[in-house]
Amino acid sequence: MALRNLRYIGDPILNKISRPITQVDDKIKNLLDDMIETMRSKEGVGLAAPQIGVLKRVVIIQLSDEDVRYELINPEILEQTGEEVLHEGCLSVPDESHFVKRPTFVKVKALDRNGDLIIVEGTERLAQALCHEIDHLNGILYVSKIEEDYEEELEEN
Ligand code: CO
């Protein structure tokens, strides 16, 4: 495993669309391992490949040490319901957090590191993380989705 350099907001790679993986081989497994090490070193709860400069549709999510780690290749949202406004941050946007509207439930299909099809259903924080990381694969940073009304309300209080 190797630590990779993080890309930060302003780096044009973060606004590009990532390419699907056509073959889940050792290269992809190495990429996943590097992403895990990099995410852990920054105490993040999720990371998408473009954040380390790799335009491939690969994301990882681990909400806390005790939680399951999701390693998702070519993730696709199949269903989403509800909405709630949650506080959110991103390793590529250091020292900031903002309110963003996310679904309360999402169902995602993806391949795992063995190339097997998996379905992940997430509510609340997991739904939020799934949407946040999949947005990265489409060149979208959460700061483009800030709920300004919520932010203003906070400042007033
Ligand atoms: Co992020």
Side-chain angles (χ1 to χ4, degrees):
M1 292 213 275
L3 268 184
R4 305 278 199 105
N5 286 331
L6 269 184
R7 303 300 186 98
Y8 295 100
I9 186 168
D11 187 324
I13 204 159
L14 293 173
N15 302 115
K16 298 206 161 113
I17 309 258
S18 292
R19 290 179 296 274
I21 304 301
T22 51
Q23 199 175 353
V24 182
D25 53 16
D26 284 348
K27 228 173 118 184
I28 299 302
K29 287 171 189 154
N30 289 338
L31 171 63
L32 281 166
D33 290 340
D34 287 355
M35 287 171 65
I36 291 162
E37 188 173 338
T38 306
M39 178 181 74
R40 285 196 176 139
S41 78
K42 302 285 180 184
E43 296 179 359
V45 296
L47 191 72
Q51 292 181 274
I52 56 164
V54 176
L55 286 173
K56 292 185 172 157
R57 302 189 82 81
V58 176
V59 309
I60 55 170
I61 295 169
Q62 185 168 16
L63 295 179
S64 78
D65 286 346
E66 302 86 58
D67 281 314
V68 182
R69 186 175 66 238
Y70 297 96
E71 302 174 342
L72 306 177
I73 297 160
N74 299 340
E76 254 179 73
I77 294 177
L78 299 177
E79 274 177 55
Q80 60 178 67
T81 57
E83 59 179 40
E84 68 184 325
V85 176
L86 296 168
H87 219 213
E88 196 159 317
C90 177
L91 291 179
S92 294
V93 189
D95 307 319
E96 278 185 44
S97 61
H98 299 282
F99 286 104
V100 177
K101 194 180 284 173
R102 297 294 187 186
T104 52
F105 168 85
V106 291
K107 182 174 177 179
V108 170
K109 85 168 179 184
L111 300 176
D112 66 12
R113 70 159 64 213
N114 300 312
D116 294 324
L117 181 70
I118 52 169
I119 300 285
V120 177
E121 294 184 326
T123 60
E124 297 165 8
R125 295 280 316 285
L126 181 56
Q128 176 187 28
L130 287 163
C131 293
H132 178 111
E133 300 310 334
I134 291 170
D135 274 352
H136 273 300
L137 305 182
N138 297 320
I140 298 166
L141 290 177
Y142 85 99
V143 288
S144 67
K145 297 184 162 184
I146 295 173
E147 292 289 317
E148 304 287 355
D149 293 352
Y150 278 79
E151 304 268 316
E152 280 162 24
E153 216 169 282
L154 263 198
E155 275 166 25
E156 283 162 20
N157 292 336

